[in-house]
Amino acid sequence: MIDVPLSVLDLAPVAAGTTAGEALRHTTELARRTEELGYQRFWVAEHHNMPAIASSAPPVVIAHLAAATSTIRVGSGGVMLPNHAPLVVAEQFGTLEALHPGRIDLGIGRAPGTDQVTALALRRTMEGLSAENFPQEFADLVNYFTGERPGPITASPGRGDMPEVWLLGSSGFSAQLAGLLGLPFSFAHHFSSTNTLPALALYRQNFRPSRWLEKPYAMVAVNAVCADTDERAQWLAGPAALSFLRLRSGRPEPLASPEDAAAYPYTEAERLFTRERMNGQAMGSPETVRRQLTELLERTGADELMLTTMVYDIADRVRSFELIAEHVAGGLRQDR
């Protein structure tokens, strides 16, 4: 019986009436505080054309966060490889690893993290916009770090400065690839909960030991909002549910306040959508969150949990991670 590590996934949420600068300063504050609380890693996600999210440039944010902290691992959850040339990613993260050796994680995803029009604006060509080329592009990226296949191009920084590489996924494709390559795998349970167990099973079934891992290592990302009472946590979670609804409806907006989210005139179909969105997540008092995370661990056998907390006010965001660290984390254990 060992304690399960807890980590943080942050999207630098932009609250209504605030700026991206404020959102990024709040993310920095949260990184410092979660480091003090003993969280293992702090990742930021790449999203584009989303007014509620300020983490569109993970390497830039990671550089700032790593400089503002000293022990917590900092990384991407993730960099969406179809948006970028592998050489550029290798140089960016090689630079980060050279500056902060042993503290940088490179989580790679194969989705664009945005709509196709925005993805085209990022890539500037239709070639590579699908995920068909992902395995080869990922292999090229790793080779820039390792130099195992000599070629005319050397990533500098990059070669010899390899961060810890993860594959991310919300379906089975990346799960299988992570297993075949012997890499750690992080699953996006926070927005694809129905696929969690099948993807983890594929990862473990396909796992081959590698220079990086002798056995599978799976992390599960989960929405977590912890407050003094269940009612308070549900209240604080309202803006994130509304934000996801607006995003899926093609109407992304900054994160609403809890009051505005509660006053939103949901249709019955919209209420069902948001309830399904919160299914299998962790929302409530410390006792409730402990029970929900324990159940998630029992179902998934996860080696690590990554918590993401989209709430309107930074004080509530920090408090949620404090409550979990102080009243939940010690009771989360997993049989090995």
Side-chain angles (χ1 to χ4, degrees):
M1 300 281 282
I2 62 170
D3 288 319
V4 174
L6 297 180
S7 292
V8 182
L9 173 64
D10 197 70
L11 279 64
V14 182
T18 69
T19 66
E22 289 174 271
L24 292 166
R25 285 190 288 275
H26 290 159
T27 287
T28 306
E29 177 185 339
L30 183 64
R32 291 192 181 110
R33 183 63 180 128
T34 51
E35 177 179 72
E36 293 171 350
L37 293 167
Y39 285 84
Q40 176 136 315
R41 62 188 93 236
F42 192 103
W43 285 5
V44 292
E46 177 185 346
H47 292 286
H48 303 277
N49 196 27
M50 297 183 187
I53 296 173
S55 59
S56 58
V60 180
V61 180
I62 291 166
H64 178 73
L65 296 177
T69 56
S70 59
T71 57
I72 195 169
R73 297 191 66 90
V74 187
S76 60
V79 163
M80 302 294 106
L81 193 55
N83 296 340
H84 311 283
L87 176 59
V88 173
V89 178
E91 290 174 338
Q92 290 172 340
F93 279 81
T95 300
L96 289 168
E97 178 67 20
L99 288 168
H100 305 281
R103 290 185 57 212
I104 303 300
D105 295 334
L106 172 54
I108 290 287
R110 72 183 185 102
T114 188
D115 58 89
Q116 287 293 298
V117 173
T118 307
L120 178 58
L122 287 162
R123 191 90 181 198
R124 298 195 299 170
T125 174
M126 292 299 293
E127 185 178 354
L129 281 181
S130 73
E132 294 176 5
N133 298 329
F134 179 80
Q136 183 58 54
E137 292 190 342
F138 183 76
D140 291 343
L141 170 63
V142 172
N143 188 61
Y144 283 126
F145 290 122
T146 65
E148 287 185 341
R149 290 184 285 109
I153 300 172
T154 298
S156 180
R159 183 172 295 186
D161 290 305
M162 187 172 182
E164 185 173 294
V165 177
W166 290 66
L167 274 179
L168 317 182
S170 58
S171 62
F173 182 93
S174 293
Q176 287 181 289
L177 185 60
L180 292 170
L181 296 177
L183 289 168
F185 176 61
S186 179
F187 187 82
H189 178 80
H190 59 301
F191 65 79
S192 186
S193 60
T194 57
N195 291 325
T196 305
L197 296 184
L200 292 177
L202 283 171
Y203 171 59
R204 291 169 178 136
Q205 290 164 9
N206 286 278
F207 185 84
R208 298 175 182 174
S210 69
R211 74 172 79 176
W212 298 293
L213 284 179
E214 293 184 357
K215 60 182 182 179
Y217 191 94
M219 179 164 64
V220 173
V222 56
N223 288 299
V225 178
C226 192
D228 292 327
T229 65
D230 290 351
E231 293 75 18
R232 173 74 176 170
Q234 294 295 331
W235 169 260
L236 295 175
L242 178 58
S243 180
F244 193 70
L245 172 65
R246 285 171 165 169
L247 176 64
R248 285 297 173 92
S249 303
R251 303 177 283 113
E253 296 181 21
L255 197 65
S257 68
E259 293 80 6
D260 288 344
Y264 180 82
Y266 286 95
T267 66
E268 191 56 38
E270 289 173 336
R271 289 195 183 280
L272 178 61
F273 175 85
T274 56
R275 281 198 296 269
E276 290 176 347
R277 157 80 171 157
M278 296 304 173
N279 185 42
Q281 309 302 314
M283 311 278 174
S285 67
E287 294 77 14
T288 298
V289 169
R290 183 188 300 111
R291 184 185 72 252
Q292 292 166 331
L293 292 181
T294 298
E295 291 172 354
L296 180 63
L297 282 169
E298 290 173 349
R299 292 198 309 273
T300 63
D303 299 285
E304 187 172 338
L305 294 178
M306 177 162 271
L307 313 180
T308 182
T309 303
M310 284 277 283
V311 297
Y312 180 79
D313 191 276
I314 182 59
D316 292 316
R317 197 146 113 247
V318 170
R319 180 62 176 156
S320 179
F321 284 102
E322 288 175 341
L323 287 170
I324 291 173
E326 294 164 3
H327 302 291
V328 177
L332 294 176
R333 297 177 181 272
Q334 179 71 10
D335 288 317
R336 291 293 189 271

